[in-house]
Amino acid sequence: MAPTATPTWLLPVYARAATGAGATASQSEILAAASRLLARWEEPSRHFHNVRHLVDLLQHVDELQQETHKPHAVRLAAWYHGAIFSSDEAAAYAHRGGEDEDASAEFAREELSALGLPTESINDVTTMVKALARHTLDPSSSDCAVLCDADLAVLASDPQRYKEYLRDVRAEYSHIPDRKFLEARQSIVKKLLARQQLYVSPLGGTWEERARQNLAGEASRIEKALDRIGAADAS
């Protein structure tokens, strides 16, 4: 998403979340922090992990809001979960993808501390951000469940949106050869399909069937693509 397409309501959304979570800084300081963060989401190397993804994530959090206890902290975690990102091959393999959740959590801690958020709120945000590394959930945290479900909501998209998602992810890692990319993607898809459930919040559970259909279709296409590459290499 180009910077010119960035919704004007995003910065106020951040400001409301920060204030709601206990920020004591001035509105100008809060909006300046939001602008710094948004600039990261607008980096040109991001094709999927960009502003569109952030907007989708925030909207899905809103869909699941009734299941949250601390909605402002969940929204801040959504903002910060992809703050540190690199599609560089080494970084992607080191972090199981381009997002570095640990570094993003530390960035969130620094920024939110400067805005005067209470320690409890900061810890809530950083814990949720780190949980997205492998979507490892604290079963007692409905807030963490909502954020993780919202992050995986793209898997339950309609067929056209799912194609766009796959296209954007491939563009983000265009420097990685087809075979290596497909094998990495195949591993991710298999792990997702092997889960007993993809979504853990009650409302998120309504996305389960569509997501599994999309993943199964992708798995089949990947297998065929790898077979074609293998046949071409053998000829």
Side-chain angles (χ1 to χ4, degrees):
M1 181 180 295
T4 54
T6 299
T8 57
W9 50 262
L10 269 178
L11 296 186
V13 163
Y14 176 94
R16 284 195 296 273
T19 301
T24 58
S26 67
Q27 280 295 295
S28 62
E29 291 172 313
I30 293 173
L31 290 173
S35 294
R36 290 194 298 272
L37 183 52
L38 190 58
R40 291 177 174 271
W41 286 99
E42 292 173 336
E43 291 167 351
S45 62
R46 296 176 181 240
H47 296 272
F48 170 68
H49 295 92
N50 56 13
V51 174
R52 182 181 186 183
H53 173 55
L54 173 61
V55 168
D56 286 347
L57 183 52
L58 290 169
Q59 290 175 337
H60 289 306
V61 166
D62 284 347
E63 287 182 51
L64 305 177
Q65 179 177 331
Q66 69 186 67
E67 297 182 20
T68 64
H69 291 295
K70 299 179 180 179
H72 297 304
V74 177
R75 291 190 182 93
L76 288 174
W79 270 90
Y80 281 100
H81 88 282
I84 308 299
F85 175 87
S86 173
S87 59
D88 173 81
E89 184 172 358
Y93 282 108
H95 303 123
R96 300 167 300 279
E99 294 174 328
D100 186 337
E101 289 84 359
D102 288 340
S104 293
E106 287 311 305
F107 178 74
R109 184 177 298 279
E110 293 173 7
E111 291 283 296
L112 296 177
S113 295
L115 295 180
L117 268 75
T119 301
E120 181 181 354
S121 293
I122 295 172
N123 288 340
D124 288 337
V125 172
T126 57
T127 297
M128 282 186 277
V129 170
K130 289 181 178 181
L132 288 181
R134 291 187 178 180
H135 283 255
T136 51
L137 303 180
D138 175 353
S140 66
S141 174
S142 60
D143 290 334
C144 188
V146 164
L147 181 64
C148 288
D149 282 2
D151 192 45
L152 290 181
V154 67
L155 301 178
S157 301
D158 64 75
Q160 182 57 40
R161 174 67 182 110
Y162 196 77
K163 288 180 181 178
E164 293 174 357
Y165 154 65
L166 296 180
R167 180 201 66 204
D168 292 342
V169 170
R170 184 65 184 108
E172 214 159 58
Y173 301 101
S174 60
H175 51 285
I176 297 179
D178 284 344
R179 181 191 289 275
K180 292 183 71 174
F181 175 83
L182 288 169
E183 288 174 345
R185 185 68 191 176
Q186 183 179 56
S187 176
I188 292 170
V189 171
K190 284 183 175 180
K191 288 177 181 177
L192 288 169
L193 285 171
R195 291 185 180 184
Q196 185 174 358
Q197 57 187 104
L198 295 167
Y199 305 102
V200 294
S201 66
L203 287 175
T206 62
W207 301 334
E208 188 84 20
E209 183 178 357
R210 171 61 66 83
R212 289 191 177 276
Q213 290 173 350
N214 284 333
L215 288 167
E218 183 184 357
S220 177
R221 292 190 295 273
I222 289 174
E223 184 174 0
K224 292 176 181 178
L226 286 172
D227 285 346
R228 288 194 296 271
I229 291 173
D233 289 344
S235 62

